[in-house]
Amino acid sequence: MVSFDDLRDRLTATGARLRAAVPLAELTTLRVGGPATVAECESTEALVATVRELDAAGIPVLLLAGGSNLLIGDDGFEGVVVRIATTGVELTGDAVLAEAGANWDAVVAATVEAGFGGLECLSGIPGSAGATPVQNVGAYGVEVANSLRRVRLLDRASGEIRWVEPGELGFGYRTSVLKHSDAAVVLAVEFGLRADGSSAPLGYRELANALGAPEGESRPAAEVRAAVLRLRADKGMVLDPDDHDTWSAGSFFTNPIVADENVAAVRAAIASHLGADVAVPTFPAAGGVKFSAGWLIERAGFAKGFPGDGSPARLSTKHTLALTNRGAATATDLVTLARTVRQGVAERFGITLEPEPVTVGVSL
Ligand SMILES: Cc1cc2nc3c(=O)[nH]c(=O)nc-3n(C[C@H](O)[C@H](O)[C@H](O)COP(=O)(O)OP(=O)(O)OC[C@H]3O[C@@H](n4cnc5c(N)ncnc54)[C@H](O)[C@@H]3O)c2cc1C
């Protein structure tokens, strides 16, 4: 391991601010994670120079922006955490251009306030603009892939910087070629907007109902944003330091997509536990059927708040899909809870849930 002094010498010219032994719990929304050296980059130039320098020296890098989709182990990270703290946001015609570290909800708010639509369903999602393409962030029937125009990437193997079209990013449900990959750093993102200020067509029944609108129609973006923020707050899906239900990484498991050939077996397992006439929420998906992870967790016997008072890590009391830190949880506590839930669902229904956050130094 390179010493802190060596690192400081190496990174001085990059413009990054180096800090030793930072508890990563301070930088993640789950508020867990052991110590690491952190290089804070407040400009894109500093970010590029820092990552290039660390890569050239063969020093492991963990990119971290809002820390809202990361579960970092209690031993921290052996290497350098590059904290992306750029902030620039610019509205240009019918598009918005944001530096990677810009707060995502502030980007959405700026577009809505300026009279543009398109991003309102993605209101209230924590974290940075630059992380949104990483897992093709989505909510209420909309994904960033729907309106992303281009992404500015630093290719870490070649050191080159270039704008990339969405077609190159392999977007899928909560995934892209950027997730679980060290190949590139997102430096900036550009989204196309709806110049008439109308929302994207409402593709999610709960949201359409909240607005008293038929599915498929649009509404003024500002109205949709307000409704989304209300719905999300009721589920503990908007960060609030005073509410432990939001000390989470959002949904901890993705909704499982079961391949067509396995759907009958899963339905049979569900029927054998819950009765043949149980209504199972499912959604069409490429190559199979998407089941609701939250529904499966609850029906496997894990109620909101599981395992109950006194446990440092619990399911949110508002939403079974969020694993939460009640104040004193460690990463180990969260992993233990995640394993218990995952095993319970697998035993009852034959589906292995996959974590949505990126895990570092821990695995399920
Ligand atoms: C309360 C709550 C609600 C949430 N709701 C949703 C939701 O509705 N929909 C949804 O999709 N997600 C949701 N999330 C998850 C999370 O907010 C998103 O995934 C968000 O985009 C993560 O951004 P971040 O800046 O915090 O990323 P981080 O957690 O800092 O990083 C996540 C991953 O992306 C990588 N990364 C970060 N920035 C870059 C970059 N510039 N270039 C390359 N790689 C990068 C990191 O290395 C890491 O692997 C929620 C989380 C919370 C806590």
Side-chain angles (χ1 to χ4, degrees):
M1 190 59 211
V2 194
S3 76
F4 185 74
D5 288 341
D6 284 348
L7 267 176
R8 194 167 38 208
D9 291 346
R10 203 180 275 278
L11 296 180
T12 300
T14 66
R17 193 161 57 92
L18 207 61
R19 289 186 289 153
V22 177
L24 296 179
E26 290 176 1
L27 302 180
T28 61
T29 56
L30 272 167
R31 303 194 193 210
V32 296
T37 300
V38 172
E40 185 108 0
C41 298
E42 291 179 354
S43 71
T44 299
E45 293 70 28
L47 174 59
V48 169
T50 302
V51 173
R52 279 186 180 149
E53 192 66 44
L54 293 168
D55 283 348
I59 297 168
V61 168
L62 171 62
L63 298 170
L64 182 149
S68 62
N69 211 30
L70 276 166
L71 171 54
I72 302 175
D74 298 316
D75 292 338
F77 182 70
E78 284 276 334
V80 175
V81 171
V82 173
R83 176 113 195 274
I84 302 171
T86 50
T87 54
V89 180
E90 198 185 335
L91 278 154
T92 52
D94 63 349
V96 63
L97 179 64
E99 286 187 310
N103 176 274
W104 172 250
D105 189 54
V107 172
V108 176
T111 65
V112 172
E113 278 157 26
F116 292 101
L119 301 181
E120 59 291 321
C121 285
L122 303 174
S123 294
I125 298 178
S128 63
T132 61
V134 174
Q135 71 155 3
N136 186 18
V137 155
Y140 296 98
V142 169
E143 297 176 332
V144 293
N146 299 137
S147 45
L148 189 69
R149 279 203 185 148
R150 51 184 192 152
V151 173
R152 192 163 176 246
L153 291 184
L154 167 66
D155 179 322
R156 291 177 60 185
S158 67
E160 256 179 71
I161 294 175
R162 67 189 179 103
W163 283 101
V164 170
E165 304 285 319
E168 286 184 56
L169 294 174
F171 285 127
Y173 164 63
R174 293 301 173 275
T175 192
S176 81
V177 297
L178 301 168
K179 195 165 178 181
H180 302 301
S181 161
D182 285 331
V185 184
V186 175
L187 303 176
V189 288
E190 187 179 71
F191 289 89
L193 303 171
R194 293 163 72 95
D196 66 358
S198 65
S199 72
L202 301 169
Y204 200 82
R205 184 169 308 153
E206 184 190 24
L207 177 60
N209 288 347
L211 288 156
E215 272 184 81
E217 283 198 4
S218 294
R219 284 290 180 269
E223 273 176 36
V224 176
R225 173 171 164 78
V228 166
L229 288 174
R230 275 196 304 274
L231 289 172
R232 291 186 69 94
D234 287 348
K235 295 175 188 164
M237 285 290 169
V238 179
L239 291 183
D240 173 354
D242 297 329
D243 181 358
H244 285 288
D245 279 335
T246 76
W247 291 31
S248 76
S251 301
F252 193 86
F253 296 104
T254 51
N255 290 321
I257 296 175
V258 176
D260 285 326
E261 60 271 25
N262 299 328
V263 169
V266 167
R267 284 193 183 281
I270 292 174
S272 86
H273 284 281
L274 303 174
D277 50 359
V278 66
V280 187
T282 59
F283 313 88
V289 173
K290 194 195 276 180
F291 286 72
S292 158
W295 187 92
L296 292 167
I297 290 169
E298 222 160 318
R299 297 310 184 283
F302 302 104
K304 290 175 184 140
F306 175 88
D309 289 352
S311 302
R314 280 179 242 163
L315 298 184
S316 159
T317 65
K318 302 186 181 75
H319 194 346
T320 48
L321 203 41
L323 271 62
T324 64
N325 175 353
R326 309 317 289 189
T330 60
T332 308
D333 294 328
L334 286 154
V335 168
T336 303
L337 176 60
R339 284 188 185 142
T340 304
V341 169
R342 177 149 119 150
Q343 195 180 336
V345 170
E347 280 169 2
R348 281 175 192 73
F349 306 131
I351 293 181
T352 302
L353 296 177
E354 293 300 333
E356 183 181 306
V358 172
T359 53
V360 177
V362 289
S363 69
L364 298 202

